[in-house]
Amino acid sequence: MWGGRFATGPDAIMEEINASIDFDKRLWRQDIRGSLAHAAMLEATGILTGEDVAAITAGLKAVEADIEAERFTFSRALEDVHMNIENDLKERIGPAAGRLHTARSRNDQVATDMRLWVRDTLDQIDEQMADLQLALAEKALAHAGSVMPGFTHLQSAQPVTFGHHLLAYVEMLSRDRGRVRDARARLNECPLGAAALAGTSFPIDRHMTAQALGFDRPTANSLDSVSDRDFVLETLAAASICAMHLSRLAEEIVLWATPQFGFVRLSDSFSTGSSIMPQKRNPDAAELVRGKAGRVFGALQAMLTMMKGLPLTYSKDMQEDKEGTFDALQTLSLCLAAMAGMVRDMEPDLKAMKRAAGLGYATATDLADWLVRVLKMPFRDAHHVTGKLVGIASAKGVGLEKLSLEEMQAVEPQITEAIFAVLGVTQSVRSRTSHGGTAPANVGRQARRWLAQLRKARG
């Protein structure tokens, strides 16, 4: 393709480091779409004849059919997906194939292909995020009133409901989807026609190709068009944040599935055994989601490092944008699917969760709030009184609700029998009626709102 300038071919090592076909062949659908749009534009502007474009179009569709049917052989000697397709097209239709590259370069071609691939993949990932949200919201509605411990510092803090806990991840995923959609909107400009870096002297119609490929508009600056990869960076950043959220939920499932917690049970579908310990049920799917987050983070860091020292415009370093991006988004897609499966699969142990919700004096704040609300005590004073009562209960090895009224009144004489109404975990969660709180009525409303929204979007 560039042999006219060179007297000899590349060294074997040069060929090895230079070839990208092993991974960029994934772009073949996008490459053919871009070429079909480019050819149609070249005919519309009179740059190519209708006869040539008809041959090119038929040839590209034949190449597409062969690749789809796995009858196409990609050659490393031809370096990349663009030249593999162009070479095969030439063998099919002859010299007209060489005219397809008029008014474009591999620089704007690959930038267009990557935008198309990332856009297609973001649409798929957005659907998977929505499916995980749906799984979480369905489970949340079923367990809007199921009490479990809420934690800070991984210590029992206050009772919450299992449904409320799951809806927290629905909210996280909503923001993840917002980032994905923002990234998609910003990348949706077409670089095709920027050529190598300076544009072209041919009278092309970049708006036509942009429209044909579903872009909002052509990119505005030819230098930026071929050297920009921040759409990949933004995508990987959004993917990394989502992977972090999935990892947090995976970590909780790992903890919840231990005998020490005993909050949930995963079926055989999402568990594995041990080669030596026959009693083991390992939550390997959750552990792998947790572990694979690092691969997504790594792709973002590698991309930032690769781009940070590149002057305008294109440099071969930018070939490194593909493998990490392909792997990261494929990994995220797999993790989303696995997590949706686990959420639908896991069965909570309601008795174990409720029992644990009362440990660690989790209703102490309810006691303090009662002192403020009923006795009009300043909160700091109520905090002090409650701390003393917790100390007494701890010394006796009992829960707050097991202290006698006399023991409580010895600390604060104004306390009445009514205090015992707020010391149960069920009463505690029912009382948290503030907007966004864990009261079962709140959780039910939020779960139904999310389900209606998600199901409507799904159609």
Side-chain angles (χ1 to χ4, degrees):
M1 72 195 109
W2 34 259
R5 173 65 179 81
F6 293 81
T8 62
D11 185 89
I13 296 298
M14 178 60 196
E15 185 173 312
E16 183 67 24
I17 197 172
N18 192 49
S20 59
I21 188 60
D22 292 341
F23 50 86
D24 71 15
K25 62 186 178 184
R26 184 178 299 205
L27 299 174
W28 67 266
R29 286 188 178 86
Q30 291 76 22
D31 197 70
I32 290 173
R33 279 164 60 192
S35 290
L36 287 168
H38 185 65
M41 181 274 296
L42 292 177
E43 179 183 8
T45 54
I47 297 170
L48 292 189
T49 66
E51 183 181 357
D52 278 344
V53 172
I56 289 168
T57 300
L60 285 171
K61 290 183 176 179
V63 173
E64 181 178 40
D66 279 355
I67 299 176
E68 190 75 63
E70 300 183 353
R71 294 190 298 263
F72 189 96
T73 301
F74 289 99
S75 168
R76 298 189 86 242
L78 292 169
E79 189 177 318
D80 59 30
V81 65
H82 322 297
M83 295 311 301
N84 268 265
I85 290 173
E86 184 176 322
N87 186 72
D88 191 85
L89 182 65
K90 182 179 178 181
E91 291 180 359
R92 292 172 189 268
I93 69 171
R99 298 189 180 98
L100 174 60
H101 210 54
T102 305
R104 75 174 183 184
S105 161
R106 283 191 297 169
N107 292 356
D108 61 337
Q109 192 176 354
V110 70
T112 302
D113 290 358
M114 273 300 284
R115 284 179 186 250
L116 288 170
W117 187 89
V118 170
R119 190 179 71 184
D120 292 345
T121 305
L122 286 178
D123 289 343
Q124 173 195 332
I125 284 174
D126 183 56
E127 289 182 9
Q128 289 187 280
M129 289 178 177
D131 184 60
L132 177 53
Q133 283 185 297
L134 187 63
L136 288 161
E138 288 170 345
K139 189 77 72 174
L141 182 60
H143 294 285
S146 300
V147 179
M148 69 174 291
F151 298 93
T152 61
H153 308 278
L154 205 55
Q155 304 294 314
S156 292
Q158 294 176 323
V160 296
T161 72
F162 189 48
H164 192 56
H165 196 113
L166 295 178
L167 285 180
Y169 286 98
V170 175
E171 297 291 336
M172 293 180 216
L173 284 160
S174 177
R175 296 190 295 274
D176 289 330
R177 293 182 68 195
R179 280 181 280 271
V180 161
R181 292 178 175 189
D182 285 348
R184 189 197 192 282
R186 264 185 288 280
L187 73 78
N188 206 36
E189 296 182 346
C190 184
L192 199 59
L197 74 160
T200 178
S201 59
F202 289 95
I204 62 173
D205 184 347
R206 293 190 61 208
H207 291 275
M208 178 180 174
T209 49
Q211 183 178 18
L213 293 170
F215 289 106
D216 294 332
R217 64 191 70 86
T219 50
N221 182 286
S222 61
L223 300 174
D224 178 56
S225 301
V226 299
S227 64
D228 163 49
R229 291 298 184 273
D230 61 19
F231 69 93
V232 178
L233 286 165
E234 186 173 9
T235 295
L236 291 176
S240 293
I241 296 171
C242 181
M244 175 271 294
H245 286 151
L246 298 183
S247 182
R248 294 183 72 184
L249 179 54
E251 168 69 4
E252 297 203 290
I253 291 173
V254 170
L255 288 172
W256 293 344
T258 62
Q260 290 75 15
F261 275 76
F263 289 179
V264 301
R265 177 181 174 85
L266 294 174
S267 75
D268 294 350
S269 300
F270 290 95
S271 305
T272 65
S274 165
S275 63
I276 189 172
M277 295 170 283
Q279 82 281 7
K280 291 291 293 298
R281 289 179 58 82
N282 299 325
D284 280 7
E287 291 173 18
L288 287 165
V289 168
R290 185 178 61 187
K292 286 179 184 294
R295 292 174 69 159
V296 184
F297 303 165
L300 173 60
Q301 187 59 51
M303 186 73 179
L304 285 166
T305 303
M306 182 268 288
M307 290 297 297
K308 72 177 182 63
L310 299 186
L312 296 181
T313 55
Y314 182 84
S315 296
K316 198 71 170 187
D317 313 46
M318 292 167 71
Q319 185 167 287
E320 292 297 310
D321 66 345
K322 296 175 189 63
E323 285 181 281
T325 303
F326 294 158
D327 181 75
L329 297 187
Q330 179 178 325
T331 296
L332 180 62
S333 175
L334 179 60
C335 289
L336 285 164
M339 188 57 73
M342 278 186 284
V343 167
R344 290 191 168 99
D345 176 84
M346 66 183 180
E347 288 298 329
D349 186 327
L350 303 184
K351 290 182 179 179
M353 289 197 301
K354 187 173 184 179
R355 183 166 58 247
L359 300 177
Y361 306 101
T363 59
T365 307
D366 297 277
L367 193 157
D369 287 348
W370 185 90
L371 295 174
V372 172
R373 189 172 59 252
V374 177
L375 303 184
K376 310 304 180 186
M377 188 179 292
F379 183 79
R380 285 302 167 200
D381 294 344
H383 188 285
H384 183 72
V385 168
T386 302
K388 282 189 172 183
L389 292 173
V390 168
I392 294 169
S394 179
K396 293 184 66 175
V398 299
L400 284 169
E401 72 281 3
K402 298 298 183 181
L403 293 178
S404 68
L405 180 61
E406 291 74 18
E407 287 173 311
M408 292 189 182
Q409 288 176 335
V411 176
E412 173 48 61
Q414 298 183 76
I415 293 177
T416 68
E417 190 79 29
I419 191 70
F420 293 101
V422 303
L423 295 182
V425 293
T426 300
Q427 297 93 310
S428 175
V429 297
R430 284 177 182 167
S431 72
R432 305 294 172 179
T433 56
S434 59
H435 182 76
T438 193
N442 286 8
V443 176
R445 280 194 300 271
Q446 289 292 339
R448 284 189 290 272
R449 178 182 67 82
W450 272 115
L451 287 170
Q453 181 177 322
L454 292 164
R455 288 167 177 164
K456 181 180 179 181
R458 176 175 280 193

